[in-house]
Amino acid sequence: LAKTTQPISMDSYEGQEVNITCSHNNIATNDYITWYQQFPSQGPRFIIQGYKTKVTNEVASLFIPADRKSSTLSLPRVSLSDTAVYYCLVYSGGYNKLIFGAGTRLAVHP
Amino acid sequence: EADIYQTPRYLVIGTGKKITLECSQTMGHDKMYWYQQDPGMELHLIHYSYGVNSTEKGDLSSESTVSRIRTEHFPLTLESARPSHTSQYLCASSEYRGSGLGTDTQYFGPGTRLTVL
């Protein structure tokens, strides 16, 4: 069972790039790394998913080193609306292994 | 954008009442899930379903029960509500992406905030 470790909270300012790193030392061969974003009183929303190297979409980039024991979510030029909790998940589709963890609370300031 | 709905959004009810939280999705997803989340805390999977007539318990023990009679509908029932059941309940659904294409992306509903007095 892959356990993830993320910083509890982070602070940033509008226009800056934010990098949130997640550690997953016990990641299994079949596991994918997935990040979700959650605003208060809403359900989580999928941001990005990757297996190795780098993945980029219109919202974020995900960097995964060769050993896959960590991953970094990169949010370019954050705005106030990016203030949310960000969750890192590592799983291969076994539903009883879905653990969201406490996530990282990102606060973006003016 | 995913279409998954939960009703009611907020519910305040007295101890001992039977309640059903509704969840529906219009995407034709086979897999559906129920999570429980206390304010500022982790999400915990309490139930999931692979498809019609399939239900399984998640990693967090729950006194609630679920049913899956139709693909689009996955209601959660508490036979006798207690204050300890006060929490936010989130429903989600996903579609298998295929071997080697990554794991399922889950689409979440807005949640039901339940308060049991």
Side-chain angles (χ1 to χ4, degrees):
Chain A
L1 177 62
K3 177 179 168 55
T4 61
T5 302
Q6 304 174 233
I8 294 174
S9 64
M10 294 182 67
D11 288 275
S12 183
Y13 293 91
E14 286 189 290
Q16 289 188 335
E17 179 184 73
V18 171
N19 296 309
I20 306 175
T21 297
C22 177
S23 297
H24 28 80
N25 292 319
N26 297 327
I27 189 169
T29 302
N30 295 331
D31 285 341
Y32 279 74
I33 301 154
T34 309
W35 285 80
Y36 283 81
Q37 174 193 56
Q38 186 179 25
F39 297 113
S41 299
Q42 293 186 24
R45 183 174 71 101
F46 172 87
I47 300 175
I48 198 166
Q49 183 181 90
Y51 184 80
K52 61 181 179 181
T53 62
K54 177 183 175 183
V55 180
T56 297
N57 61 21
E58 64 278 7
V59 177
S61 293
L62 179 60
F63 298 91
I64 305 167
D67 65 5
R68 305 201 324 123
K69 293 183 182 299
S70 66
S71 60
T72 298
L73 174 72
S74 180
L75 304 173
R77 299 179 297 281
V78 296
S79 64
L80 296 177
S81 62
D82 291 317
T83 294
V85 179
Y86 292 83
Y87 296 95
C88 165
L89 280 76
V90 174
Y91 68 106
S92 58
Y95 304 102
N96 60 344
K97 299 178 182 178
L98 272 168
I99 299 177
F100 272 76
T104 296
R105 295 183 177 277
L106 172 65
V108 180
H109 305 282
Chain B
E1 193 68 24
D3 295 316
I4 181 163
Y5 308 97
Q6 290 185 244
T7 58
R9 289 294 312 278
Y10 303 92
L11 179 62
V12 180
I13 202 163
T15 297
K17 300 292 186 182
K18 177 180 178 179
I19 61 170
T20 296
L21 308 184
E22 302 288 347
C23 175
S24 296
Q25 51 96 3
T26 59
M27 298 165 284
H29 288 170
D30 288 330
K31 300 172 184 175
M32 297 190 73
Y33 317 78
W34 276 103
Y35 292 86
Q36 184 175 342
Q37 183 180 36
D38 293 328
M41 303 299 286
E42 304 171 9
L43 283 85
H44 292 284
L45 181 68
I46 53 175
H47 298 284
Y48 61 95
S49 167
Y50 290 97
V52 172
N53 294 325
S54 155
T55 60
E56 302 286 344
K57 290 190 179 294
D59 65 330
L60 179 67
S61 176
S62 174
E63 295 171 346
S64 59
T65 59
V66 293
S67 62
R68 190 86 184 277
I69 300 173
R70 302 198 316 263
T71 297
E72 63 272 20
H73 197 212
F74 192 39
L76 180 145
T77 298
L78 276 166
E79 290 293 333
S80 179
R82 295 207 299 268
S84 61
H85 296 140
T86 295
S87 187
Q88 172 157 272
Y89 293 84
L90 290 157
C91 180
S93 71
S94 71
E95 182 180 40
Y96 180 56
R97 295 178 60 181
S99 177
L101 298 178
T103 55
D104 305 9
T105 295
Q106 295 195 16
Y107 296 92
F108 283 81
T112 294
R113 186 167 297 281
L114 172 66
T115 301
V116 183
L117 303 176

